[in-house]
Amino acid sequence: LLRLERTLFSAWMGWLTAGYGKDRFIDVLNEVESELQASKGGDFFMGGDVTLVDFMFAPFLERMAASLIYFKGYQFRVAKGEKTEFPAINKWFDAMETLESYQLTKSDYYTHCWDLPPQLGGCSYEKDGEPFEKAINGELAGSWELPVAKDLGGIEPDWDWCGDESSARREATERLSYNHANIVKF
């Protein structure tokens, strides 16, 4: 499975940075889907318990989901209940998002899509990614306006585990209060 993770990473890098290898990436992603479907007793790679294998796949599958929709218009991570060619991968994401250790390290699509190009020396754009890029960047009407559309209009699944609106307001108030001196300078 760890070799499969490296193979998936390599296929992703080829398509994301050089613009070739879409079919290869999809073939390897289908292998990942098959491995997860074959897993017995749970939604993780080795069944019902999270293992090192899951944590090896996690940062890259997360970045793949964000970058491929943004730069290529290719979506494999969908919101719960949406149709997908990759149901086992989506169940794996949902299972990972129940883990506090994953929740504390998970990032959003916007951050990943702006982090990756300088780290990788650039990413190749395809026209199919343009509407998703605009939505993720907040340039599409309604994408960053309150109230925010559920699942960013089907682009990025909501973080249901983060709490409700009142807890978000409380956290914002706490952070503003704590950082008041720096905010006033700004």
Side-chain angles (χ1 to χ4, degrees), residues 168-182:
R169 289 176 186 266
R170 193 170 44 257
E171 181 181 352
T173 302
E174 289 169 359
R175 290 184 184 205
L176 284 169
S177 298
Y178 179 79
N179 291 302
H180 74 280
N182 292 325

Side-chain angles (χ1 to χ4, degrees), residues 33 47 59 65 76 100 107 115 120 135 148 159 168 170:
E33 176 71 15
F76 66 90
E100 184 178 12
S107 190
D115 277 356
L120 303 174
V148 175
W159 295 14
R170 193 170 44 257

Side-chain angles (χ1 to χ4, degrees), residues 72-89:
K72 310 294 183 183
Y74 183 78
Q75 185 174 29
F76 66 90
R77 173 66 171 131
V78 297
K80 284 183 184 177
E82 296 294 319
K83 288 190 172 195
T84 177
E85 295 177 33
F86 302 99
I89 290 173

Side-chain angles (χ1 to χ4, degrees), residues 133-145:
E133 174 190 354
K134 288 180 186 248
I136 291 168
N137 284 343
E139 297 168 5
L140 196 63
S143 62
W144 282 20
E145 296 169 5

Side-chain angles (χ1 to χ4, degrees), residues 55-176:
F55 286 111
M56 292 297 292
F57 272 88
F60 300 111
L61 276 171
E62 184 181 311
R63 285 164 177 81
M64 289 171 198
S67 63
L68 292 177
I69 195 168
Y70 185 91
F71 292 103
K72 310 294 183 183
Y74 183 78
Q75 185 174 29
F76 66 90
R77 173 66 171 131
V78 297
K80 284 183 184 177
E82 296 294 319
K83 288 190 172 195
T84 177
E85 295 177 33
F86 302 99
I89 290 173
N90 279 272
K91 285 180 183 176
W92 175 84
F93 270 114
D94 294 341
M96 290 297 289
E97 289 172 357
T98 67
L99 305 172
E100 184 178 12
S101 57
Y102 181 74
Q103 293 170 2
L104 293 170
T105 61
K106 181 177 171 46
S107 190
D108 60 276
Y109 284 16
Y110 177 85
T111 302
H112 282 315
C113 294
W114 283 90
D115 277 356
L116 286 169
Q119 294 173 19
L120 303 174
C123 297
S124 68
Y125 286 87
E126 293 179 16
K127 188 151 183 65
D128 290 345
E130 190 174 316
F132 302 104
E133 174 190 354
K134 288 180 186 248
I136 291 168
N137 284 343
E139 297 168 5
L140 196 63
S143 62
W144 282 20
E145 296 169 5
L146 294 176
V148 175
K150 181 159 178 50
D151 302 312
L152 191 56
I155 296 172
E156 178 179 8
D158 288 339
W159 295 14
D160 296 329
W161 40 266
C162 282
D164 58 13
E165 187 172 332
S166 63
S167 63
R169 289 176 186 266
R170 193 170 44 257
E171 181 181 352
T173 302
E174 289 169 359
R175 290 184 184 205
L176 284 169

